[in-house]
Amino acid sequence: MALVTTAEVCDANPQLIVSGELRALQPLFQIYGRRQVFSGPIVTLKVFEDNVLVREFLEEKGNGRVLVVDGGASLRCAILGGNPVVQAQNNGWAGIVVNGCIRDVDEINGCDIGVRALASHPMKANKKGIGEKHVPITIGGTRICDGEWLYADTDGILISRTELSV
């Protein structure tokens, strides 16, 4: 989104909001990482207090994509830490949105990648490898599908069915 804010996108596209093609996530997320503005095609993942699949995705080439993880809004452990975020940065991911907790905040804040999460938590996640890849997820009442587009800045996070021409 070349210097166009999420607020400007909303103001310019009321018809997309009414139709549901453009949705704003509820303002639940804290901002982490050095990249406060990011966008890209979405890859979805659904897990609960388990980070094996999160790490597997971030080991792949990101190609400017955004990993959106529905962690069930758990506040009992972190499903994302510093090492996978460094790997995501190095593999070309644009950002990571976690409906759950992260840890290693200082390390993550040093990375040139956008990260959003509900909070930080010092406890690590389970490592069972249980979860679902590329499935529709719902975060804060908003349905998000694999292949849709995410746009994030300091005002919030937008989900669009298609890439926006801004």
Side-chain angles (χ1 to χ4, degrees):
M1 269 183 5
L3 303 175
V4 176
T5 67
T6 55
E8 291 169 325
V9 169
C10 289
D11 292 351
N13 294 286
Q15 73 287 357
L16 295 180
I17 294 169
V18 170
S19 72
E21 290 180 47
L22 181 65
R23 287 110 50 216
L25 292 186
Q26 290 181 357
L28 307 169
F29 298 93
Q30 304 297 313
I31 297 173
Y32 302 98
R34 287 199 336 244
R35 195 179 300 176
Q36 293 190 339
V37 177
F38 62 95
S39 63
I42 294 170
V43 176
T44 59
L45 177 60
K46 185 172 185 156
V47 298
F48 188 73
E49 298 180 357
D50 189 313
N51 72 348
V52 171
L53 298 179
V54 175
R55 291 175 78 86
E56 284 180 6
F57 262 121
L58 299 176
E59 288 170 358
E60 298 174 9
K61 291 294 180 198
N63 299 315
R65 296 177 296 169
V66 178
L67 180 61
V68 181
V69 182
D70 180 3
S74 173
L75 300 177
R76 300 190 310 187
C77 67
I79 57 173
L80 181 68
N83 289 337
V85 172
V86 168
Q87 195 159 33
Q89 169 196 262
N90 295 341
N91 284 338
W93 288 85
I96 308 162
V97 176
V98 178
N99 185 29
C101 293
I102 64 168
R103 68 183 200 165
D104 306 323
V105 170
D106 291 338
E107 185 176 5
I108 290 170
N109 283 341
C111 292
D112 183 25
I113 190 169
V115 177
R116 300 291 190 274
L118 299 180
S120 61
H121 197 295
M123 292 179 63
K124 67 181 179 179
N126 295 316
K127 303 209 181 305
K128 296 178 182 174
I130 298 171
E132 297 175 272
K133 301 177 180 182
H134 307 290
V135 295
I137 58 176
T138 301
I139 296 177
T142 301
R143 184 175 168 91
I144 303 167
C145 295
D146 207 71
E148 291 187 307
W149 280 74
L150 182 142
Y151 300 87
D153 64 14
T154 54
D155 284 336
I157 301 172
L158 297 177
I159 306 296
S160 174
R161 288 204 182 120
T162 60
E163 183 177 7
L164 298 172
S165 55
V166 290

